[in-house]
């Protein structure tokens, strides 16, 4: 089996702000997308990496990464960016990982666990964590409607792993009117089972400034190297 990773890194990072697209914001002096490429390449299984970036950053990303990755232009949505990566997958690839540049500190053990689930026969596999906060449904006025039992709820991380044929079909048949925030949702929509594997508390998603501060602390403490739970 040949495994490739696609790293969507073509977002604007509007929630993070800071005047630089999120994937280019430094963490320990290194852009987030470079951390993400290193994290994926650290897996024993990943043979090639495709980075999807903003059109005006193509040359810069290409020269920063050199032969470590193929670099292509993204689209207006995350979905379009992932599709751009899928379009340039080399023919022999049969397992595809999709990993957000916004998760720079995913440990190699999580990447390996996702790949191993697909190699073991799953059509799709995603890393998950239990949810620590209590979850409540609220109405339009902010009143609590009910409390959601959280024992069957999981927070989903990346990389998400797929048998190539399954992901290509899920993308082709995606409903443009109902944009999904992850790729596994497209597979679920086809009625194909998605397997879960343990994620890691260090694989945080950088969305707001506080997340970047936390990631700097994790990098400094070298906690990012801890194995998955
Ligand atoms: N992404 C992408 N192409 C887009 C939008 C998002 O490749 N058109 C990527 C982002 O670069 C990121 C991942 O998808 O690595 C997850 O998206 P998100 O965290 O929402 O990042 P941004 O869209 O950049 O941030 P924001 O939504 O705050 O603008
Ligand atoms: Mg976004």
């Amino acid at each position: 089996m040949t495994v490739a990773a696609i790293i969507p890194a073509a977002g604007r990072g509007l929630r993070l702000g800071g005047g630089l697209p999120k994937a280019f914001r430094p963490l320990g002096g290194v852009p987030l997308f470079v951390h993400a490429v290193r994290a994926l390449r650290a897996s024993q299984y990943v043979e090639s990496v495709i980075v999807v970036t903003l059109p005006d950053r193509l040359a810069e990303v290409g020269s920063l990464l050199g032969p470590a990755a193929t670099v292509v232009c993204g689209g207006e949505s995350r979905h379009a960016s992932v599709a751009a990566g899928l379009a340039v997958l080399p023919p022999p690839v049969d397992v595809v990982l999709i990993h957000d540049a916004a998760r720079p500190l995913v440990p190699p053990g999580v990447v390996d666990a996702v790949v191993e689930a697909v190699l073991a026969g799953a059509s799709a596999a995603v890393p998950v964590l239990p949810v620590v906060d209590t979850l409540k449904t609220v109405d339009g006025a902010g009143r609590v409607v009910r409390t959601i039992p959280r024992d069957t709820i999981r927070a989903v991380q990346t990389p998400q792993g797929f048998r190539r044929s399954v992901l290509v079909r899920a993308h082709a048949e995606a409903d443009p009117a109902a944009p999904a925030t992850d790729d596994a949702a497209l597979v679920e929509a086809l009625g194909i089972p998605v397997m879960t594997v343990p994620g890691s508390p260090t694989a945080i998603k950088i969305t707001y400034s506080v997340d970047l501060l936390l990631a700097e602390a994790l990098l400094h403490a070298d906690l990012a190297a801890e194995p998955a739970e």
Side-chain angles (χ1 to χ4, degrees), residues 129-144:
L129 285 181
V131 176
V132 291
D133 293 318
T134 296
L135 300 171
K136 294 187 193 294
T137 305
V138 295
D139 66 15
R143 272 183 302 257
V144 170

Side-chain angles (χ1 to χ4, degrees), residues 18-130:
L20 206 60
K22 182 159 70 181
F24 293 85
R25 290 290 294 271
L27 169 61
V30 173
L32 292 184
F33 75 90
V34 176
H35 283 280
V37 171
R38 287 179 186 167
L40 272 289
R41 293 213 73 102
S43 162
Q44 55 179 317
Y45 297 109
V46 175
E47 292 180 34
S48 56
V49 174
I50 296 162
V51 174
V52 188
T53 189
L54 292 155
D56 55 344
R57 300 278 180 161
L58 204 58
E60 181 186 349
V61 173
S63 68
L64 255 172
L65 294 175
T70 301
V71 186
V72 295
C73 275
E76 282 304 309
S77 64
R78 183 184 178 283
H79 180 84
S81 294
V82 172
L86 284 176
V88 297
L89 269 184
V93 171
D94 26 40
V95 177
V96 185
L97 300 176
I98 310 291
H99 180 64
D100 288 339
R103 291 189 194 269
L105 299 180
V106 62
V110 171
V111 181
D112 288 348
V114 169
V115 174
E116 281 162 11
V118 178
L119 294 181
S123 295
V126 298
V128 300
L129 285 181

